Amino acid sequence: MSSGIIPVVATIIALGVLSQVVADKLQVPSVLFLILAGIVVGPEVLGVVTLSSFGGIDTLAGIVGLSVAVIVFEGAFHLKLEKLREAPGAWLRLVTVGAAIALFGTAIVVRVLLGTGWDVAFLIGSLLVATGPTVITPILSVVPVRDRVGAALETEGVVNDVTAAILAIVVFRVVENPQRSVDVVLQDFVTRLGTGVLVGLVVAAVVWYILRRIDLSKGNAPQNARLVVLAGALVAYGAADTLYSEAGIAAVATAGVLLGNADLPYEKEIEAFKGDVTLVVLSFVFIGLAALLSFQTLLDLGVAGLAVAVLVALVIRPLAVFASTARSRYTSAERVFMSAVGPRGIIPASVATLFAVELQGYGMPQAANVLVGTVFLTILLTVVFEGGFARHIAQALNVIPMRVIIVGGGTVGRALAERLEDRGENVVLVEDDPEAVERARNEGYTVHSGDGSDTDELRAAGAENAKILTAATGDDDVNLLVAQLADSKFDIDTIIARANNPDNIDAFEDLGVSTVSSSLATAWGIDNIIERPALSNWMTEIGRSGDVQEVEVTSEELVGLTIADLDDDLPGGVIIALAGRDGDNQVPNPEFTIQHGDHLTFLGRKEAVRDALNWCHPDDG
């Protein structure tokens, strides 16, 4: 006996896996292909997946709810306290000031352009506050931005998913009963949020107890640990949602954050398992919700609906981001990137659909159509354009930095980090001294707290994706061990070590590690002040007002040109100081002809040097 749901499930899973494979190949977030696949197999095109395939709206709502629970739980599980400390002020303002700007800004735009009542306008505004891990996590997986940028966006996604879902429920109750007082509305919000947080606390405690107190060493321990955590997430959602609708989102977010920071056994296996499960449920969520999409509803909104979506993405989102990141260490390019990457996700789509069904039952079809149409149109536009072009936007803004690991958060490590960060690099300090960690974090640096001579700690700090690693502690034995680990365990292009004792230089160089002697560097610095004071002062100031950078020529447009030709087209405020070929560097004469692979050293103003680098090596990023 066969069931009609089997081909639908098989189709959804196959499309989900295919979307992920294609996304990895093209380095584009998978949500783009998932939503496009959903549209193609949905009722508006092929009609393979329809609402009737799931047995009606109630069944689909249950599937979507449990799927969202898994997705939010995974996103929250990855929010480590260390990561949150990378952008404490930014993420807090994004989920408060930024969320308020999104709520009121969207409501005003909807009210003015679509002519709805304030209740429906605020209902749409509350839903479009959410970005969410369903769309942010796939983007950040292919766009390796600076840690503080990723931390702020991920935290905003998880927290705003919770607040948007609960806020939308509260506002919807006002739509149902416009006579409700402000006190009742606030009490409803706090009750739902509090219920979710309380249930999440209880479930997290129970799961932690089970994993810690019950012997998992017998049998397949890693599998048991994975299943216990997954069951905990689903129980948290189901229990809280039974008490108050949408409180389940707060419950799984709370449980996820607590368990993710609880040092659980088999944590790596749990994370890998949740990632695979999330891929499957993402497929069901995006492709399943496409069964509810009606092109006619979108077309009925006309130009006004399109204008709302555009204003939400291009005006309200940037206002929220720039207001939330004022007086922070974020560069202008990073703030623009965060403004351009705020796609709306599953929470708005699923909750809007359920609300629309209820509004239809109340005899409010126009409000239902405006709600669903505006939310889905905004989701489509932001996912397709912001999600699909996120990597291109990041490359255009030059916010995909080179990852540099500096082991040692002392004076030398922090001074080096300051210079590299000022050039736009993604620097992670690795330090195990609590006072040094706190000092570096207070100064705004990204710090991984751990022993840099431990392979697992280096991996956790991001050494597998690093291009440069510097061992800069005051202990040569530690620096030598770090250099050995970096050379043998990780594929790092450049390894640099600090030698505090000149007698140890040979040991470092035997490893093929570039070495800087602290005592010799100090002697050279003093000698420069004595013999070359002007040059010494200039080299001291160059990191603040100017820059010196070396780059490999990869642009075919420059091959065959002479230095004189390049000088005519260089940005103002920069010169070519050195030209290198096959390891031989020299001050170039005007007739020196550029070949592919030559190395040019630029000297001048920061902005001019960076423009010159992009010109010679446009694929750098």
Side-chain angles (χ1 to χ4, degrees):
M1 182 176 179
S2 62
S3 173
I5 193 66
I6 294 177
V8 173
V9 171
T11 298
I12 290 175
I13 293 178
L15 286 173
V17 173
L18 180 61
S19 296
Q20 184 62 48
V21 171
V22 174
D24 286 342
K25 179 70 174 178
L26 300 180
Q27 288 291 282
V28 173
S30 59
V31 290
L32 173 62
F33 298 103
L34 287 171
I35 201 166
L36 292 178
I39 292 173
V40 170
V41 299
E44 295 291 332
V45 183
L46 298 180
V48 176
V49 180
T50 64
L51 186 58
S52 60
S53 302
F54 299 95
I57 186 66
D58 291 337
T59 304
L60 180 57
I63 293 173
V64 170
L66 291 174
S67 299
V68 169
V70 174
I71 295 166
V72 172
F73 182 84
E74 192 208 9
F77 195 88
H78 281 94
L79 286 182
K80 309 300 183 185
L81 292 180
E82 277 196 4
K83 182 179 287 187
L84 296 181
R85 292 193 189 106
E86 306 303 346
W91 74 257
L92 186 58
R93 289 191 294 271
L94 277 171
V95 301
T96 52
V97 175
I101 291 174
L103 171 63
F104 287 96
T106 304
I108 291 171
V109 168
V110 171
R111 165 74 173 176
V112 171
L113 294 181
L114 297 179
T116 66
W118 281 114
D119 51 357
V120 175
F122 272 101
L123 181 59
I124 295 173
S126 63
L127 287 172
L128 293 181
V129 164
T131 50
T134 56
V135 284
I136 293 298
T137 301
I139 289 174
L140 295 180
S141 68
V142 297
V143 186
V145 292
R146 194 187 300 270
D147 287 352
R148 64 190 181 210
V149 176
L153 290 175
E154 285 180 315
T155 309
E156 178 198 22
V158 172
V159 175
N160 279 356
D161 251 9
V162 174
T163 54
I166 296 175
L167 182 61
I169 285 287
V170 173
V171 175
F172 185 70
R173 299 298 176 235
V174 176
V175 175
E176 289 180 313
N177 181 10
Q179 306 305 318
R180 300 185 90 200
S181 66
V182 175
D183 291 343
V184 173
V185 170
L186 291 176
Q187 182 181 354
D188 194 6
F189 179 83
V190 173
T191 300
R192 293 174 191 276
L193 180 60
T195 300
V197 171
L198 180 60
V199 171
L201 286 169
V202 172
V203 170
V206 171
V207 171
W208 181 86
Y209 179 84
I210 292 173
L211 295 179
R212 284 289 179 183
R213 303 300 180 186
I214 294 180
D215 185 9
L216 292 174
S217 62
K218 298 178 180 179
N220 195 339
Q223 182 184 59
N224 292 336
R226 294 194 299 263
L227 294 175
V228 166
V229 172
L230 177 61
L234 297 178
V235 167
Y237 176 81
D241 210 58
T242 300
L243 296 173
Y244 286 100
S245 59
E246 302 308 324
I249 300 298
V252 292
T254 302
V257 171
L258 291 175
L259 292 172
N261 289 279
D263 191 25
L264 299 178
Y266 308 109
E267 185 170 337
K268 293 186 183 301
E269 290 85 350
I270 292 170
E271 288 184 347
F273 174 67
K274 289 192 297 82
D276 293 338
V277 173
T278 298
L279 169 62
V280 175
V281 297
L282 267 176
S283 305
F284 273 94
V285 167
F286 277 101
I287 297 175
L289 283 176
L292 307 174
L293 181 62
S294 169
F295 287 167
Q296 189 58 49
T297 301
L298 303 183
L299 294 174
D300 288 343
L301 292 175
V303 176
L306 184 62
V308 169
V310 170
L311 288 173
V312 166
L314 300 184
V315 177
I316 297 171
R317 173 67 179 175
L319 281 175
V321 169
F322 273 79
S324 301
T325 55
R327 297 184 301 278
S328 66
R329 289 179 63 88
Y330 292 90
T331 66
S332 297
E334 288 171 343
R335 296 168 80 188
V336 172
F337 173 77
M338 293 168 69
S339 300
V341 180
R344 274 47 179 186
I346 288 307
I347 291 294
S350 57
V351 177
T353 301
L354 299 178
F355 286 167
V357 173
E358 292 193 43
L359 288 174
Q360 293 279 4
Y362 296 148
M364 303 171 64
Q366 184 174 359
N369 290 337
V370 170
L371 171 64
V372 172
T374 305
V375 169
F376 268 89
L377 185 58
T378 304
I379 291 172
L380 282 173
L381 290 179
T382 55
V383 167
V384 170
F385 289 101
E386 296 182 357
F389 294 98
R391 187 174 183 86
H392 303 287
I393 294 170
Q395 289 173 333
L397 293 170
N398 196 26
V399 295
I400 303 181
M402 173 176 63
R403 180 176 286 269
V404 181
I405 305 291
I406 300 176
V407 178
T411 304
V412 173
R414 297 199 313 276
L416 176 59
E418 180 183 8
R419 286 178 173 266
L420 293 174
E421 282 209 340
D422 192 53
R423 291 186 191 137
E425 307 302 352
N426 187 10
V427 181
V428 178
L429 287 167
V430 180
E431 176 60 62
D432 59 357
D433 178 56
E435 292 185 6
V437 169
E438 193 64 27
R439 184 186 309 115
R441 282 180 174 153
N442 289 338
E443 293 176 9
Y445 299 110
T446 298
V447 186
H448 175 80
S449 179
D451 182 1
S453 60
D454 182 274
T455 303
D456 290 336
E457 295 293 348
L458 285 178
R459 182 175 289 107
E464 290 178 325
N465 299 317
K467 293 185 179 180
I468 296 175
L469 183 142
T470 300
T473 75
D475 187 326
D476 282 358
D477 290 337
V478 172
N479 291 342
L480 185 60
L481 179 55
V482 170
Q484 288 175 323
L485 288 175
D487 181 57
S488 61
K489 301 294 185 181
F490 303 102
D491 184 22
I492 298 176
D493 295 342
T494 305
I495 303 171
I496 305 169
R498 169 189 175 186
N500 298 279
N501 185 341
D503 294 338
N504 294 329
I505 292 178
D506 289 342
F508 285 102
E509 292 185 342
D510 286 343
L511 285 176
V513 174
S514 300
T515 309
V516 177
S517 168
S518 295
S519 55
L520 292 179
T522 302
W524 293 335
I526 294 173
D527 181 51
N528 282 333
I529 293 175
I530 295 171
E531 298 294 336
R532 293 164 287 276
L535 177 63
S536 176
N537 290 334
W538 180 81
M539 287 300 295
T540 300
E541 292 296 323
I542 192 69
R544 299 189 181 99
S545 59
D547 203 359
V548 179
Q549 290 283 330
E550 180 181 332
V551 67
E552 179 182 353
V553 176
T554 60
S555 174
E556 297 296 338
E557 296 179 3
L558 304 186
V559 175
L561 298 181
T562 65
I563 293 295
D565 295 329
L566 290 183
D567 284 337
D568 293 337
D569 295 324
L570 278 177
V574 63
I575 63 171
I576 301 174
L578 293 173
R581 181 177 298 160
D582 300 326
D584 179 27
N585 292 288
Q586 58 181 294
V587 177
N589 59 52
E591 288 74 34
F592 183 93
T593 303
I594 303 297
Q595 295 181 9
H596 193 282
D598 284 349
H599 285 251
L600 300 179
T601 300
F602 293 100
L603 181 154
R605 292 185 297 104
K606 287 182 182 179
E607 295 79 7
V609 169
R610 290 172 187 172
D611 289 342
L613 294 179
N614 292 331
W615 182 41
C616 291
H617 192 78
D619 297 327
D620 189 23

